[in-house]
Amino acid sequence: MQLQKQKLEYLEDEFVHRFPLLNNIDDDLLLTPKNIANLIGVHEETVRRWCRKGYVKSVSPFGRYKIQGADFKAFAFQWYCNKII
C-alpha cells in the first residue's frame, strides 16, 4: 500500500514537471478539442473520440464539445499514468 502511494506521488510530481502549462489552466475554463490536442500533442479527432466514448467528461452545446479545465486535468493525469505504466 505504501509503495503504491509513493508511486502515485512520484507520478504526480513527474506529471506536473512534464506539463507545467496544465497548472495554469483554470478549473472552470471551457476548452475545445483543438485546445486540448495542441496542449498534449494528439490529433483533434482523437480528443473528440475520447469525448464520444466518455473517456473525458464533456458537454456538447450546439454539437461542439467543451471540456472543463478540471475535467481535462483529471483526464490528462489518468491518460499520462496509463501511457507510462
Side-chain angles (χ1 to χ4, degrees), residues 50-80:
W50 291 339
C51 292
R52 280 193 302 272
K53 291 186 175 188
Y55 296 158
V56 61
K57 187 177 174 185
S58 64
V59 294
S60 56
F62 310 109
R64 306 229 183 249
Y65 291 108
K66 300 289 184 188
I67 300 100
Q68 276 196 317
D71 295 328
F72 167 62
K73 288 189 277 188
F75 168 78
F77 180 66
Q78 287 289 58
W79 176 74
Y80 178 74

Side-chain angles (χ1 to χ4, degrees), residues 10-75:
Y10 171 77
L11 285 173
E12 287 173 348
D13 290 342
E14 186 177 311
F15 178 74
V16 170
H17 179 70
R18 290 192 77 186
F19 301 100
L21 204 64
L22 296 182
N23 286 334
N24 298 332
I25 295 174
D26 185 44
D27 287 346
D28 295 324
L29 182 67
L30 288 177
L31 300 163
T32 66
K34 185 174 185 174
N35 298 142
I36 291 173
N38 290 335
L39 281 169
I40 61 175
V42 297
H43 195 276
E44 190 176 340
E45 185 56 35
T46 300
V47 180
R48 286 192 201 101
R49 189 176 333 106
W50 291 339
C51 292
R52 280 193 302 272
K53 291 186 175 188
Y55 296 158
V56 61
K57 187 177 174 185
S58 64
V59 294
S60 56
F62 310 109
R64 306 229 183 249
Y65 291 108
K66 300 289 184 188
I67 300 100
Q68 276 196 317
D71 295 328
F72 167 62
K73 288 189 277 188
F75 168 78

